[in-house]
Amino acid sequence: MNALQVSQVNKYIKDLISRDFLLNDFWVRGEISNFKNHSSGHMYFTVKDESSILRCVMFRAYCSNLRFIPANGMKVIIRGGVSVFERDGQYQLYCHEMQPDGLGALYAAFEQLKLKLKDEGLFDPGIKKKLPAFPERIGVVTSCTGAVIKDIMNVSLRRFPNASIVLFPVSVQGSSSAREIAHALDVLNKNRSVDVIILARGGGSLEELWAFNEELVARAIYKSQIPVVSAVGHETDYTISDMAADLRAPTPSAAAELVVPDAKELKWKVDSLRKEMVLAVQSRVSDCRSRLQKIENSMPLRQPYEKVYQLRMILDLNHKLIQRNIALRIRESRDRLRSLIVHLNSLSPLAVLARGYCIASDYSSGKVIKSVKQVCRDGQVNIKFADGRAECKVVDIKGGQHEF
């Protein structure tokens, strides 16, 4: 018996499948299950419908082109080719491209990316940049063929003719549009040739607006040093670009109105300020004139010496009062001096001598003799009288009390 080896069978089947044109490149629709995002960057999963499953693998090189994160239960459309994994004898779909199937899946992908970028802080209000008050050059990233650029130019030039529009044409729909938009934002930032950037396109379905929900575009907006205004779709449309931008406008025309000031309104404000300034100056001048008139009619200016005269009169009164007080003090001091003199004279030894008394002192030392014990016989003493003195010789000394 001529038996084949297992590997030969698997290889033969693989060759048969590889020669099938349909199985080499086709699209398949199904629901993801058993999803595994391997650390190598490859994705392993199965797609299923109501009755069958198909094993799938998507290598890292193709995974990098995904615009959403696959998950169990998500309905997708996959392009790829079937081949046999010879070792296990299993056939599987090698995925080259994957898209969400239907609006529900697209919305799920939208919500996934929105939550991811929000957690990273790309939508934080604190990092939003203020728009310049008077932009001279406005960069517009949009299609060059649509009505969007015409609307922006018409509104901008009507409101503020001094501003100039710099168009950076990109495709706003299709597989390459996200890369073109991110590239445009990068170039405008490197050149620093504009003051503000408007990222715009007209309305459309969720699929048509999907380029503005791409992570690549959101990160380019976040990285931009120039303020970015997002104006994608109609007022009810909301994209990832709107959340990442510094300002969201409901329509491209509204973006132009937000970016450029209204020259007529500015002129009206300037005229109003000029009128207010004139009124303020007139009011100030009127107040100063009134104050000047009050000063001119005041007493110091009408009778400038009146105050001097009053002060002089007060000075004269004070001078007289001082003189009167000085004279009074002198008279009181003189009376007191007389009283002291009288009292002093009453205590003076000279007054005692004048009444007939005299003072005896030692001839040699001049000390006052208060007792007979201080003299001796034949000694000399001085006797002081009220009108002179006499030198005497002691003839006799008698002690005790003697009558005068």
Side-chain angles (χ1 to χ4, degrees):
M1 180 185 298
N2 186 16
L4 296 174
Q5 293 184 354
V6 175
S7 60
Q8 291 176 324
V9 175
N10 288 343
K11 186 178 185 304
Y12 181 77
I13 295 173
K14 180 178 180 181
D15 291 339
L16 286 176
I17 293 175
S18 64
R19 288 196 294 268
D20 189 296
F21 179 76
L22 174 62
L23 295 179
N24 283 335
D25 191 2
F26 65 95
W27 289 89
V28 62
R29 175 182 284 110
E31 180 181 322
I32 295 177
S33 63
N34 299 320
F35 178 81
K36 181 179 180 181
N37 193 351
H38 199 271
S39 59
S40 63
H42 309 321
M43 294 181 180
Y44 300 93
F45 55 95
T46 60
V47 289
K48 64 181 181 178
D49 56 16
E50 291 80 2
S51 57
S52 299
I53 65 171
L54 176 62
R55 294 180 182 276
C56 303
V57 59
M58 193 171 194
F59 294 123
R60 182 174 59 185
Y62 296 105
C63 292
S64 61
N65 296 324
L66 287 176
R67 59 189 183 187
F68 68 101
I69 302 175
N72 290 325
M74 183 178 291
K75 294 181 178 181
V76 293
I77 302 175
I78 302 173
R79 184 181 70 85
V82 172
S83 185
V84 174
F85 185 36
E86 295 183 37
R87 190 196 69 178
D88 296 341
Q90 294 180 348
Y91 73 89
Q92 56 189 2
L93 177 63
Y94 290 83
C95 305
H96 300 157
E97 185 178 346
M98 186 188 306
Q99 297 178 6
D101 183 18
L103 293 179
L106 282 178
Y107 183 74
F110 171 85
E111 289 296 325
Q112 281 183 349
L113 182 60
K114 182 177 74 172
L115 183 61
K116 174 185 176 182
L117 298 181
K118 181 180 179 182
D119 291 341
E120 293 184 21
L122 268 68
F123 306 152
D124 188 358
I127 65 174
K128 303 297 183 183
K129 295 178 285 294
K130 292 184 178 180
L131 303 186
F134 303 101
E136 296 181 3
R137 294 170 62 84
I138 303 167
V140 180
V141 178
T142 188
S143 172
C144 61
T145 59
V148 171
I149 184 61
K150 294 181 181 179
D151 292 341
I152 292 176
M153 291 182 65
N154 290 336
V155 173
S156 300
L157 297 179
R158 171 175 53 82
R159 288 173 60 87
F160 198 66
N162 293 337
S164 58
I165 305 298
V166 178
L167 173 63
F168 199 115
V170 295
S171 60
V172 292
Q173 183 176 338
S175 59
S176 65
S177 57
R179 289 192 299 272
E180 292 183 27
I181 293 170
H183 175 69
L185 294 174
D186 183 57
V187 171
L188 289 174
N189 272 271
K190 286 181 178 179
N191 295 338
R192 303 294 295 182
S193 57
V194 296
D195 302 312
V196 64
I197 298 173
I198 297 177
L199 177 60
R201 75 149 283 164
S205 64
L206 181 59
E207 292 92 339
E208 292 171 335
L209 299 178
W210 194 254
F212 298 91
N213 289 321
E214 295 276 9
E215 183 175 355
L216 181 64
V217 174
R219 294 195 182 279
I221 294 173
Y222 173 76
K223 189 172 66 173
S224 175
Q225 298 299 314
I226 302 172
V228 177
V229 177
S230 177
V232 179
H234 300 301
E235 187 170 357
T236 56
D237 297 321
Y238 222 102
T239 65
I240 297 293
S241 297
D242 295 331
M243 302 175 193
D246 298 296
L247 183 66
R248 186 238 178 194
T251 62
S253 298
E257 292 182 357
L258 292 171
V259 167
V260 298
D262 189 348
K264 294 181 180 179
E265 184 178 351
L266 289 175
K267 184 177 181 303
W268 178 82
K269 288 183 178 180
V270 170
D271 291 340
S272 298
L273 291 174
R274 183 183 293 110
K275 292 178 182 179
E276 292 179 6
M277 182 179 65
V278 170
L279 291 175
V281 171
Q282 290 176 346
S283 176
R284 182 68 174 173
V285 171
S286 178
D287 291 343
C288 292
R289 183 178 288 112
S290 299
R291 291 179 59 190
L292 181 61
Q293 289 177 352
K294 290 180 180 180
I295 293 173
E296 290 176 346
N297 296 329
S298 63
M299 183 65 71
L301 288 182
R302 288 190 295 105
Q303 297 180 2
Y305 293 105
E306 178 66 23
K307 187 67 174 179
V308 176
Y309 294 152
Q310 292 181 4
L311 293 175
R312 183 172 294 173
M313 292 174 60
I314 294 174
L315 182 62
D316 291 341
L317 291 175
N318 289 336
H319 183 261
K320 292 180 180 179
L321 181 61
I322 290 172
Q323 285 183 329
R324 185 182 302 115
N325 289 335
I326 290 175
L328 178 61
R329 292 294 298 274
I330 291 175
R331 186 166 52 253
E332 291 176 351
S333 298
R334 184 178 292 117
D335 293 342
R336 180 172 175 77
L337 179 60
R338 290 195 187 100
S339 175
L340 292 174
I341 291 173
V342 171
H343 183 65
L344 182 60
N345 287 336
S346 65
L347 299 176
S348 175
L350 297 177
V352 176
L353 296 177
R355 291 199 298 272
Y357 294 93
C358 63
I359 299 174
S361 60
D362 182 76
Y363 180 80
S364 299
S365 62
K367 292 182 179 181
V368 176
I369 297 172
K370 297 180 180 180
S371 171
V372 295
K373 295 179 180 180
Q374 293 179 263
V375 296
C376 59
R377 186 183 296 274
D378 295 328
Q380 288 183 320
V381 295
N382 285 329
I383 304 300
K384 183 171 181 60
F385 300 94
D387 55 352
R389 66 178 182 150
E391 294 180 2
C392 304
K393 183 176 181 181
V394 177
V395 177
D396 188 19
I397 298 173
K398 292 181 181 181
Q401 298 292 333
H402 299 282
E403 294 182 359
F404 290 97

